[in-house]
Amino acid sequence: MGDEVVIEQNGVELSNVETGTGKEKIVIEEDESADDRPAWDNKIQYLLSQIGFAVGLGNVWRFPYLCQRNGGGAFLIPYLIMLVIEGIPIFHLELAIGQRIRKGSIDVWNQINPLLGGVGVAMVAVSFLVALYYNVIIGWCAFYFFNSFQAPLPWATCPGNGTVMECEKSSPTAYFWYREALDTSESIEDGGGINWKMMLCIFTAWLIVCVCMIKGIKSSGKAIYFTATFPYVVLLIFFFRGVTLEGAADGLAFMFLPKVEKLADPIVWLEAATQIFFSLSVAFGGLISFSSYNPRKNNCTRDAVVVAVINSGTSIFASVVIFSVLGFKALTDSRKCLQEFQDLMEDKVPGFASNNMTVTASNYMDLWGTYNTTDTAIRDFNFGYCSKDGNLNNAVGGTGLAFVVFTEAMNQFYPLEMGPFWSILFFLMLANLGLSSMFGTLEGVITPLRDAGIWKWRKEFLVVLLCVVCFLIGLIFAQYSGSYWLDIFNDYSGTFPLLIIAFFENIAIVYVYGLKRLSDDLEYMTGSRPNLYWKVTWLFLTPLSMLVIFGATIYTEATRTITYKGWDSALGQVVDKGPYPWWGEMMCYVLICLPSLFIPIVFVLRLTGLMPYRGETLKAKQARTVQRGAISKQNLVTDSVTSVSGSMAAFPANGVINPASTAL
């Protein structure tokens, strides 16, 4: 075994350079104070930024919906299993490589292996596409926030005193969302021009993002103290309000009582894995960018576990809040429906009121069966909301949950005069959840472009240019058909491509860069090498789980027709609009394939020499380090021999030391 030496040259400490073995263990510690890379003010700021990026709108409006649809408490079993074998391992890898190399996603992959540079470009592409539509949702939240400063709330009742049939056939909240806010067209083919109200709100959202990010993490890091913590304050307030509502227990029981038979359904496991994967915001490049501003001596292993657990805990806590309120709404709607049937029976059935007959949740269908031939109004009565369990079974996620269902529930909070207060809190919370995620998403574009030398001017100019470009392209979502376009981007730009990127990411780091090198880096950065859990997941469980999801997703998409839903103003409800037009379907495939194509394109261009990488890879740095270590070791040995020879010369041949020769 060779000797170990620790040397320092030109501000670079070469630690544990073991030469002569062929298995050199090398860790390069560059002088971080010598570069001008921005840094976090403190560890709390960094953790809040990572938490804010990971915890987004999906934690509030997608996870509860999936839990409701896939067996309630039983869904938590595959969800937590996938968190352990898929979510946390990939999350850890991204934090580790960002902190180790201290570059954005493009330069990180170029330094690992130039042939893999396309992985970083794909991350930038995905972040850009997601940013286009994600900020539109923040604009929608801003529209509702501004409209909340009035009493009664504009979505509390239908306009026109019963003359607006579109509202009468639906509900005040649904009418306000589809007609007053979006003013949605009947189909995606009917663009209808620009909705100026939405355009102004989207512009406001981009202006806020631009101001918060103009100085990079120096400005967004200050904003994150509010944007990342305020949603938890609001969730806590809604939690105490929700659990004290009548019917909250029914909602929570529906949410958490496990339907174990659902565990036999492979779709449940697929959706659990997909939700864990996407809710942690891996493969966007934002995690790498944020961790690149850390010092190398930082425990990224602990950070990965802490942030991932907080993210999943937030999803579960948000579900408690959502379903306590939905339980209240289900009970309220049921009572309202039964009362309407009671009034109808008293009006149409002689003696019903005088005999003190009462409609209840247990007898309303029996009464209908007895009297449905008495009058057509009784025969055609809509019992859609009379069943409390039926109301809870109507799974609603996404914008329908936030802007229609939850908004309607808040209309019924007592006292009713407090409606604006609850609305302001709710939409301000959603806006902050979106903003903190937007900071990380745009960092996944800005940091790589600057670190790779693609943008050589001031960062402020890049931030402004990026926000302006995104706003202009995003005007497609300000059309009257904008909600249909947003559904396309939401369903296809930030789903399938992320899965492909993360798979290549895992394979590249563990099998190309090498698990041993990664372990050496982690030992240097954190003080300990990866344990058996990390090795087993990185080597086997994580890539295999992603392959299964990949195959299941391809099968699902290949065996179904791509269709969409939209608002029908005549019926006052959301209906199936059928398949997309050919250009809409093509857009779906473009969003799926475009980011992923950068991986093979860059691979071929680098392999053929058409786009050579002119920087220095980690492997080249390490080879240079080994060579310098060997030379320095030889110099040390030579200097030691010379020094010893000089010392021996001070001893006289007779062995008697002259005191004068030792004088200082």
Side-chain angles (χ1 to χ4, degrees):
M1 183 173 182
D3 298 325
E4 291 188 3
V5 296
V6 179
I7 57 178
E8 183 175 334
Q9 295 180 355
N10 300 325
V12 179
E13 183 182 300
L14 312 177
S15 305
N16 298 329
V17 181
E18 186 178 332
T19 61
T21 64
K23 298 180 180 179
E24 289 78 8
K25 173 184 173 184
I26 311 145
V27 177
I28 306 174
E29 180 185 1
E30 297 180 4
D31 184 5
E32 295 169 7
S33 62
D35 62 32
D36 58 352
R37 189 168 190 80
W40 300 105
D41 291 344
N42 51 66
K43 184 64 174 285
I44 296 297
Q45 188 183 74
Y46 164 68
L47 287 177
L48 285 177
S49 296
Q50 292 285 29
I51 291 170
F53 181 35
V55 177
L57 296 169
N59 296 73
V60 174
W61 68 29
R62 178 165 170 78
F63 178 80
Y65 160 72
L66 291 177
C67 223
Q68 177 193 34
R69 193 175 71 177
N70 294 305
F75 181 72
L76 295 178
I77 297 173
Y79 176 80
L80 294 176
I81 290 175
M82 290 302 173
L83 171 67
V84 172
I85 69 173
E86 181 188 66
I88 297 178
I90 290 290
F91 198 86
H92 186 196
L93 283 179
E94 292 208 0
L95 298 194
I97 61 172
Q99 182 175 305
R100 168 65 182 84
I101 302 176
R102 302 188 82 232
K103 295 290 184 181
S105 56
I106 294 178
D107 231 25
V108 158
W109 293 107
N110 282 335
Q111 290 196 26
I112 289 176
N113 191 312
L115 296 177
L116 298 171
V119 177
V121 179
M123 286 180 166
V124 173
V126 167
S127 291
F128 178 77
L129 292 174
V130 170
L132 288 176
Y133 78 86
Y134 202 84
N135 215 31
V136 173
I137 301 175
I138 300 175
W140 291 348
C141 293
F143 179 78
Y144 269 75
F145 175 75
F146 295 140
N147 277 280
S148 297
F149 290 90
Q150 51 186 305
L153 291 168
W155 50 83
T157 58
C158 284
N161 295 320
T163 60
V164 182
M165 297 310 298
E166 184 179 1
C167 184
E168 298 299 327
K169 290 181 179 180
S170 55
S171 69
T173 53
Y175 175 81
F176 186 86
W177 168 239
Y178 289 106
R179 186 55 56 217
E180 297 295 335
L182 300 180
D183 198 9
T184 185
S185 60
E186 292 294 321
S187 71
I188 191 173
E189 296 174 276
D190 180 16
I194 297 293
N195 181 344
W196 67 268
K197 292 182 292 186
M198 285 297 106
M199 183 186 73
L200 289 177
C201 290
I202 295 170
F203 174 79
T204 301
W206 278 112
L207 182 62
I208 294 172
V209 169
C210 185
V211 170
C212 290
M213 297 197 64
I214 194 70
K215 294 291 185 181
I217 64 170
K218 291 300 181 183
S219 54
S220 65
K222 300 295 187 298
I224 203 69
Y225 287 113
F226 178 76
T227 59
T229 57
F230 181 74
Y232 288 97
V233 175
V234 176
L235 280 176
L236 198 61
I237 294 173
F238 270 98
F239 168 77
F240 287 113
R241 184 68 185 101
V243 296
T244 58
L245 292 169
E246 188 179 8
D250 297 321
L252 294 178
F254 187 89
M255 169 72 194
F256 287 110
L257 287 179
K259 301 176 181 65
V260 292
E261 66 276 7
K262 283 283 190 177
L263 294 178
D265 186 353
I267 297 299
V268 173
W269 290 83
L270 175 63
E271 292 200 336
T274 305
Q275 174 63 14
I276 272 292
F277 182 80
F278 299 128
S279 70
L280 285 172
S281 300
V282 295
F284 281 93
L287 298 175
I288 295 175
S289 296
F290 277 159
S291 62
S292 73
Y293 299 121
N294 270 335
R296 284 198 177 89
K297 290 293 184 73
N298 173 67
N299 196 335
C300 56
T301 302
R302 181 177 58 200
D303 294 344
V305 175
V306 168
V307 175
V309 170
I310 289 176
N311 175 73
S312 296
T314 302
S315 296
I316 296 172
F317 182 63
S319 297
V320 173
V321 174
I322 294 295
F323 273 91
S324 63
V325 174
L326 292 185
F328 161 74
K329 181 179 182 298
L331 179 62
T332 304
D333 288 348
S334 175
R335 286 177 175 174
K336 181 181 177 182
C337 178
L338 294 175
Q339 185 59 50
E340 289 176 355
F341 190 54
Q342 173 84 30
D343 295 339
L344 179 64
M345 294 294 286
E346 290 178 355
D347 181 51
K348 300 296 183 180
V349 178
F352 193 89
S354 59
N355 292 328
N356 295 322
M357 298 179 68
T358 304
V359 175
T360 66
S362 59
N363 71 0
Y364 70 91
M365 289 307 297
D366 292 333
L367 290 172
W368 179 83
T370 302
Y371 295 103
N372 70 79
T373 58
T374 304
D375 191 276
T376 56
I378 296 177
R379 185 192 65 194
D380 298 336
F381 185 82
N382 181 12
F383 292 101
Y385 295 99
C386 286
S387 170
K388 180 178 61 179
D389 291 340
N391 294 337
L392 287 170
N393 269 314
N394 291 328
V396 178
T399 55
L401 174 63
F403 297 104
V404 179
V405 176
F406 204 85
T407 305
E408 185 176 341
M410 289 188 294
N411 283 343
Q412 302 167 14
F413 285 2
Y414 291 100
L416 297 179
E417 294 76 15
M418 292 286 289
F421 169 76
W422 296 112
S423 183
I424 290 169
L425 280 184
F426 181 69
F427 290 108
L428 189 58
M429 176 192 72
L430 291 184
N432 278 277
L433 283 171
L435 282 173
S436 55
S437 294
M438 274 297 297
F439 296 158
T441 302
L442 286 186
E443 278 294 340
V445 178
I446 295 168
T447 301
L449 292 180
R450 296 189 74 242
D451 287 346
I454 298 173
W455 181 268
K456 302 180 184 299
W457 299 275
R458 291 174 62 90
K459 185 172 187 176
E460 292 88 339
F461 297 154
L462 176 58
V463 172
V464 173
L465 178 62
L466 181 62
C467 290
V468 170
V469 170
C470 287
F471 168 71
L472 293 176
I473 298 176
L475 288 177
I476 188 175
F477 306 112
Q479 298 181 102
Y480 295 107
S481 60
S483 60
Y484 303 120
W485 284 102
L486 188 135
D487 287 339
I488 289 178
F489 273 72
N490 183 51
D491 291 340
Y492 297 101
S493 68
T495 51
F496 199 73
L498 294 179
L499 185 62
I500 298 175
I501 293 169
F503 176 77
F504 278 99
E505 183 176 39
N506 191 139
I507 297 301
I509 296 174
V510 177
Y511 290 98
V512 178
Y513 182 68
L515 183 59
K516 183 182 181 301
R517 288 180 180 175
L518 177 64
S519 300
D520 292 341
D521 291 337
L522 286 170
E523 183 180 14
Y524 165 69
M525 292 188 294
T526 69
S528 61
R529 299 178 73 79
N531 57 32
L532 183 63
Y533 160 71
W534 297 112
K535 293 178 180 178
V536 171
T537 52
W538 287 334
L539 286 170
F540 308 110
L541 296 181
T542 302
L544 284 176
S545 67
M546 285 191 288
L547 276 178
V548 171
I549 299 171
F550 183 78
T553 305
I554 290 179
Y555 175 78
T556 302
E557 294 299 324
T559 55
R560 76 180 182 95
T561 303
I562 301 178
T563 61
Y564 72 106
K565 293 183 177 181
W567 181 251
D568 189 308
S569 58
L571 298 176
Q573 63 184 31
V574 176
V575 298
D576 191 349
K577 294 290 186 178
Y580 283 110
W582 68 268
W583 43 264
E585 190 168 342
M586 287 300 299
M587 177 58 71
C588 296
Y589 291 124
V590 168
L591 293 174
I592 291 174
C593 300
L594 180 61
S596 308
L597 285 176
F598 285 110
I599 299 175
I601 288 174
V602 174
F603 180 88
V604 171
L605 291 177
R606 291 270 164 81
L607 193 65
T608 57
L610 296 176
M611 190 178 71
Y613 176 60
R614 305 189 186 282
E616 188 176 30
T617 65
L618 280 178
K619 185 176 181 180
K621 287 182 180 179
Q622 292 175 346
R624 178 166 48 82
T625 300
V626 172
Q627 184 179 12
R628 286 197 297 176
I631 294 172
S632 299
K633 176 188 172 185
Q634 183 62 43
N635 291 340
L636 287 173
V637 172
T638 303
D639 291 344
S640 298
V641 171
T642 303
S643 177
V644 171
S645 299
S647 299
M648 291 297 293
F651 285 85
N654 59 10
V656 179
I657 301 176
N658 184 351
S661 66
T662 62
L664 297 176

